[in-house]
């Protein structure tokens, strides 16, 4: 019921799928372990992308240097971080000119929006630099939580929904 209510109130902005109860051990593990993630990013470019040239980066682990983004610079110290990223797929969005869906696997702590835009050189290389066209992030979805090295991890058995007794 909570999942349905959140999705109803946030239609078009946020969607929750598979909400379930977790025990304290699992919550602690997710918060304290540096997990890589799979993302789907909806990207808009200022000119058409050469998909063949873009896919030349597919599957390769790219080291990205990132300074703390301007949007969060008030919180952590402004420092340089190095994170890996892997582009796995790029496809045009149906019915949306100059928009593409990019599947991306990233190391924990990666500022994904800045990987797309470059944020005036604060994230290097960025999609804008790799693709040779200025890009912006329109949507960002987490598809999967992975091990710290980017490998699939087995999900623990999900507990029964609230109110159900085994």
């Amino acid at each position: 019921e909570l999942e349905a209510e959140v999705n109803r109130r946030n239609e078009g902005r946020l969607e929750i799928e598979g909400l379930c109860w977790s025990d304290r051990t699992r919550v602690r593990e997710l918060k304290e372990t540096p997990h890589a993630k799979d993302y789907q990013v909806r990207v808009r470019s200022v000119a058409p992308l050469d998909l063949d040239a873009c896919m030349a980066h597919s599957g390769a682990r790219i080291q990205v240097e990132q300074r703390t983004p301007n949007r969060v610079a008030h919180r952590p110290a402004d420092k340089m971080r190095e994170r890996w990223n892997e582009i796995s797929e790029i496809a045009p969005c149906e019915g949306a000119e100059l928009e593409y869906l990019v599947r991306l696997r990233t190391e924990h702590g990666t500022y994904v929006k800045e990987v797309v835009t470059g944020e005036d050189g604060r994230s290097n290389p960025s999609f804008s630099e790799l693709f040779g066209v200025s890009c912006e992030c329109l949507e960002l979805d987490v598809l999967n939580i992975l091990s710290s090295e980017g490998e699939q991890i087995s999900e623990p058995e999900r507990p029964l929904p609230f109110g159900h007794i085994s």
Side-chain angles (χ1 to χ4, degrees):
E1 289 174 13
L2 179 59
E3 181 179 295
E5 182 65 12
V6 169
N7 290 341
R8 185 189 66 74
R9 288 185 184 193
N10 295 283
E11 190 172 348
R13 296 183 301 148
L14 170 78
E15 182 179 350
I16 296 175
E17 186 178 304
L19 184 65
C20 66
W21 291 99
S22 293
D23 62 25
R24 287 183 178 153
T25 303
R26 181 69 173 146
V27 171
R28 186 174 15 261
E29 175 189 343
L30 288 172
K31 285 184 171 184
E32 295 176 2
T33 304
H35 291 281
K37 294 183 182 81
D38 279 332
Y39 290 94
Q40 179 171 279
V41 185
R42 188 177 186 115
V43 174
R44 179 185 297 140
S45 61
V46 296
L49 297 182
D50 178 343
L51 293 180
D52 291 332
C54 293
M55 286 307 293
H57 303 288
S58 177
R61 189 163 278 194
I62 301 165
Q63 292 298 326
V64 177
E65 291 184 348
Q66 293 191 303
R67 284 187 56 203
T68 304
N70 290 325
R71 66 186 168 88
V72 295
H74 64 283
R75 289 190 302 225
D78 186 14
K79 61 182 180 179
M80 186 67 73
R81 298 167 181 83
E82 190 170 293
R83 299 289 187 258
W84 59 260
N85 294 271
E86 297 173 358
I87 298 169
S88 58
E89 188 178 345
I90 304 171
C93 293
E94 288 186 31
E97 193 175 331
L98 302 178
E99 291 184 14
Y100 303 85
L101 291 177
V102 180
R103 296 243 173 162
L104 179 68
R105 181 166 287 183
T106 69
E107 184 175 359
H108 74 281
T110 301
Y111 293 107
V112 178
K113 291 177 186 177
E114 288 71 19
V115 165
V116 174
T117 66
E119 195 182 31
D120 298 321
R122 295 179 74 86
S123 190
N124 192 11
S126 65
F127 285 7
S128 295
E129 183 179 342
L130 291 171
F131 302 163
V133 173
S134 182
C135 297
E136 69 174 310
C137 178
L138 299 178
E139 293 178 6
L140 179 62
D141 295 312
V142 176
L143 302 176
N144 211 348
I145 297 174
L146 308 163
S147 74
S148 61
E149 290 303 311
E151 302 300 321
Q152 196 73 33
I153 55 176
S154 60
E155 281 292 314
E157 187 177 316
R158 290 184 184 253
L160 292 170
F162 184 74
H164 289 78
I165 300 173
S166 58

